[in-house]
Amino acid sequence: MKSETQHHRQPGGVRAAAVVAGALGAGLIGGVEVKAQEAMYTAAATMPSPGVYVLRQQYHWFSYSSSPSEGTDRAQRLEVKSSLQYGLVKDLSLTLDVPVEYTSVKYANRQDTDDSVGVDDLDLTLKWRFYQNDPGGIDTIRIALLGGARLRTEGRFSTDPHVGIVYTQVHDIHGFNAEAHYTFNTGSDPGTPNFGGKGDSDALNLNLAYVLRVFPITFTPESKSAWYVTAELNHLYEANGDHELKFSPGLMYEGRRWGFEIMGQIPVYTRLNHRARQTFGIGIGWRYIF
Amino acid sequence: MKTNFSVKRGGFVASVAVSVVGLMVLGGCAGSRAGGSGGGGSVAGNPDENAVMHTVTAADLASAKGSTPVASKDVVLWINGMGCPQCVTNVDLQLERIDGAKDVRVDLANGKVAVRFEKEPRPTPDRIAKAVSDAGLTLVKIESGQ
């Protein structure tokens, strides 16, 4: 749950955002080596090896239409999600997600907007890869289980546990990820407006990602980087009947230890009665392995 | 209040159906070229012109096991599963943890990793295999250099 901290009243939230923004700035200006691998919105059955870290940061900008049930006319949301994944032992990793959100909400009955910034719920996730088959030099098939909890950061401490499974296949220039993730929501305040996936109703995320290597088509012994186009289908179904399917095309660059990604997101099909519809989204991100 | 999931079963079924269709479409792209076999050691020789398929014998597989230090300081590792760039970095980092390992060079084109072991005693195949396995990859052959 987002800490509903008003921008002008809660400098702590501003400081947190500034720290994250500063970290990003330092990373980019310092020219750190970063590396990409998963598509932006879909997990993969891959992970850092024991003792290795992956630092990832993503900037997402989402725009929402009106939500009559909540009395909002429109809303904008900027999410800066910082993630640190660590390889605990072979085939087992732990990921901590720290999102910071800025929201701007225009209510239907008011002229001004309500702006807020704060640290959203933290998330801890264990990933256990229980199946792996490597039939060729590049080819691989992997399946992993996900399990963790979203940790509420405001009010009484509580958690929203979640479990999932992810399948990854890489063959030649083609990569494919499929993820199913179920969150047992325990009634946290989803905030106003509700951006989905939180609150009283359980949530099921179904994500698919296709990753196509477009350059180089054929690796050479000197190859140290690659460009990919990505296409994702991101589906969120909530137990209250709301569901939303989005298409996310993108572009990804990979260096040896660093990567960069940029994606857009548009709604394909929505049936929402309890929250606002996302009209579009864009995201950029980078990651670094060390 | 918690909503009963089964009440919205129709929506759930539709949700899953849409995603399954997407899975089939995207999976068809990824899987349509899968299944190639054989090949001449590195590239080509099968319907997947760019696929890297290692052809190994029982002796090759045996070379990747054992507790006797590798014969030469320069070795080439034939590795499967390096399609994930993060895994490639993983193998870099894991091999560099072996005492004396230097100059790790990954050849994605041929699914091979060259590495030099400058300290005596050199590592055993079992130790090298563990490093590759820790990286989430599969070692199929250790080729000693000259």
Side-chain angles (χ1 to χ4, degrees):
Chain A
M1 180 172 62
K2 180 183 177 184
S3 305
E4 286 295 342
T5 52
Q6 294 300 314
H7 195 293
H8 59 284
R9 294 177 186 170
Q10 301 290 336
V14 178
R15 278 199 300 272
V19 167
V20 174
L24 175 70
L28 294 178
I29 295 169
V32 295
E33 288 188 312
V34 193
K35 186 174 186 70
Q37 191 233 333
E38 296 171 325
M40 186 166 272
Y41 303 109
T42 304
T46 55
M47 64 188 66
S49 56
V52 174
Y53 294 88
V54 177
L55 178 63
R56 185 179 193 185
Q57 196 164 55
Q58 296 179 329
Y59 279 51
H60 302 281
W61 179 265
F62 300 111
S63 179
Y64 298 86
S65 63
S66 63
S67 173
S69 63
E70 298 174 298
T72 62
D73 188 39
R74 62 180 182 273
Q76 311 286 326
R77 178 167 69 113
L78 171 66
E79 180 191 60
V80 181
K81 187 166 79 172
S82 302
S83 302
L84 185 65
Q85 186 179 17
Y86 178 69
L88 297 170
V89 295
K90 181 178 183 293
D91 297 329
L92 183 66
S93 69
L94 179 67
T95 303
L96 171 66
D97 292 329
V98 183
V100 175
E101 274 192 358
Y102 165 79
T103 59
S104 178
V105 183
K106 170 70 173 66
Y107 287 90
N109 58 353
R110 289 168 48 184
Q111 293 299 315
D112 60 337
T113 59
D114 189 1
D115 299 340
S116 64
V117 63
V119 179
D120 203 354
D121 297 347
L122 308 181
D123 195 299
L124 271 176
T125 302
L126 277 170
K127 184 189 288 185
W128 172 50
R129 183 170 55 219
F130 67 91
Y131 177 81
Q132 177 181 344
N133 178 25
D134 299 328
I138 291 176
D139 301 357
T140 188
I141 299 170
R142 296 157 187 235
I143 307 175
L145 291 177
L146 306 167
R150 195 163 54 209
L151 311 176
R152 209 167 296 168
T153 55
E154 186 182 36
R156 64 180 175 85
F157 178 79
S158 60
T159 62
D160 294 332
H162 53 81
V163 295
I165 187 168
V166 56
Y167 170 90
T168 290
Q169 180 176 358
V170 177
H171 176 68
D172 193 11
I173 59 174
H174 307 281
F176 173 69
N177 296 319
E179 175 195 13
H181 213 129
Y182 192 90
T183 303
F184 301 91
N185 282 321
T186 56
S188 62
D189 179 4
T192 302
N194 177 6
F195 296 119
K198 297 180 181 178
D200 294 328
S201 304
D202 290 354
L204 174 65
N205 288 88
L206 297 171
N207 296 313
L208 307 170
Y210 175 59
V211 181
L212 176 67
R213 190 177 74 235
V214 293
F215 183 82
I217 296 297
T218 302
F219 282 125
T220 69
E222 291 75 34
S223 294
K224 296 188 186 306
S225 63
W227 286 89
Y228 301 85
V229 293
T230 61
E232 292 184 64
L233 285 174
N234 309 108
H235 199 176
L236 170 61
Y237 177 80
E238 295 174 273
N240 60 14
D242 284 357
H243 66 122
E244 186 173 33
L245 176 65
K246 292 172 280 191
F247 174 63
S248 311
L251 183 67
M252 192 162 70
Y253 171 79
E254 294 185 351
R256 288 300 300 272
R257 286 199 181 190
W258 64 277
F260 169 79
E261 57 197 336
I262 182 167
M263 295 196 76
Q265 193 170 61
I266 54 174
V268 175
Y269 177 76
T270 58
R271 194 178 71 187
L272 302 172
N273 296 314
H274 302 84
R275 61 183 175 89
R277 170 178 174 268
Q278 181 185 315
T279 53
F280 74 91
I282 56 172
I284 60 171
W286 58 264
R287 75 188 73 186
Y288 175 55
I289 300 176
F290 60 101
Chain B
M1 177 184 294
K2 200 76 170 178
T3 304
N4 188 338
F5 201 87
S6 62
V7 171
K8 300 296 182 182
R9 188 169 48 199
F12 174 73
V13 171
S15 171
V16 172
V18 169
S19 293
V20 167
V21 170
L23 178 81
M24 293 172 67
V25 171
L26 294 182
C29 294
S32 62
R33 292 165 61 101
S37 61
S42 57
V43 182
N46 58 60
D48 305 315
E49 293 182 358
N50 296 320
V52 180
M53 303 301 293
H54 292 308
T55 301
V56 292
T57 65
D60 292 331
L61 292 172
S63 72
K65 299 175 182 174
S67 54
T68 303
V70 293
S72 64
K73 68 177 182 181
D74 290 306
V75 299
V76 176
L77 313 177
W78 294 28
I79 294 175
N80 277 354
M82 291 200 298
C84 150
Q86 184 178 32
C87 296
V88 172
T89 298
N90 278 334
V91 80
D92 275 1
L93 296 172
Q94 293 301 326
L95 286 171
E96 287 168 357
R97 290 180 178 180
I98 298 176
D99 193 27
K102 300 285 183 189
D103 197 19
V104 179
R105 285 166 289 140
V106 177
D107 176 1
L108 280 171
N110 296 298
K112 296 179 180 179
V113 175
V115 58
R116 170 171 292 181
F117 298 109
E118 295 189 337
K119 283 190 178 177
E120 298 279 355
R122 299 186 190 106
T124 65
D126 284 344
R127 175 67 185 91
I128 297 171
K130 180 180 184 305
V132 175
S133 177
D134 281 348
L137 305 172
T138 303
L139 178 65
V140 295
K141 179 180 178 180
I142 297 179
E143 192 176 58
S144 292
Q146 300 301 315

